Amino acid sequence: MPEKCVVFGCSNVRNKEKGILLHPIPFYGKSESEKQKRRKKWVDFVKSKRAHWEPSEHSAVCSEHFKEEDYTNRFADDLVWRLKRDEIDVCVFPTRHARCVSSNNAADKPESERSKWKVRHVSASFILRVKTS
């Protein structure tokens, strides 16, 4: 079971009081084309700031990285929220690199210019390596 968010700079854990959910990256081990494409979008989102990260069966992204409209209320009279689904399964993707709610004060500090440069530089060099391979 996932324990914390894998997105760079986020250390959120499941927390009912703060309304933080953890969503396992879907379709682990699935071979169907559409499922692989959807999983790749989740993985690419995380890799956009963690170039050398590799997902596992237990990798998860917290609710802070989804928009409000990505959720649906499962029961009208209950507050059971889950990600929108279609006939295949989960059909939404994380899109927000928002500042996360965290117990660690360091996560509340704005990202330094050096950190931003490192992310851009690593991402750009990774893309160049992939294109030349």
Side-chain angles (χ1 to χ4, degrees), residues 4-13 20 22 50 60-65 97-102 107:
K4 72 177 195 173
C5 184
V6 296
V7 175
F8 177 79
C10 183
S11 58
N12 282 342
V13 295
I20 297 173
L22 283 180
R50 290 183 70 183
V61 176
C62 77
S63 52
E64 293 292 309
H65 304 289
H97 280 286
R99 193 167 51 163
C100 296
V101 178
S102 176

Side-chain angles (χ1 to χ4, degrees), residues 99 104-112:
R99 193 167 51 163
N104 182 355
N105 289 337
D108 295 334
K109 294 179 183 173
E111 192 175 9
S112 71

Side-chain angles (χ1 to χ4, degrees), residues 63-71 83 93 95-96:
S63 52
E64 293 292 309
H65 304 289
F66 292 89
K67 295 178 271 182
E68 193 173 315
E69 58 265 21
D70 292 338
Y71 287 93
L83 293 173
F93 314 98
T95 55
R96 296 175 48 207

Side-chain angles (χ1 to χ4, degrees), residues 108-123:
D108 295 334
K109 294 179 183 173
E111 192 175 9
S112 71
E113 288 302 315
R114 172 74 176 150
S115 295
K116 291 177 188 176
W117 178 87
K118 284 171 47 178
V119 168
R120 286 192 307 268
H121 181 71
V122 169
S123 297

Side-chain angles (χ1 to χ4, degrees), residues 2 6 24-29 39 43 53-60:
V6 296
I25 297 177
F27 310 119
Y28 179 81
R39 181 174 176 82
V43 171
W53 172 81
E54 290 299 324
S56 75
E57 179 179 3
H58 303 290
S59 299

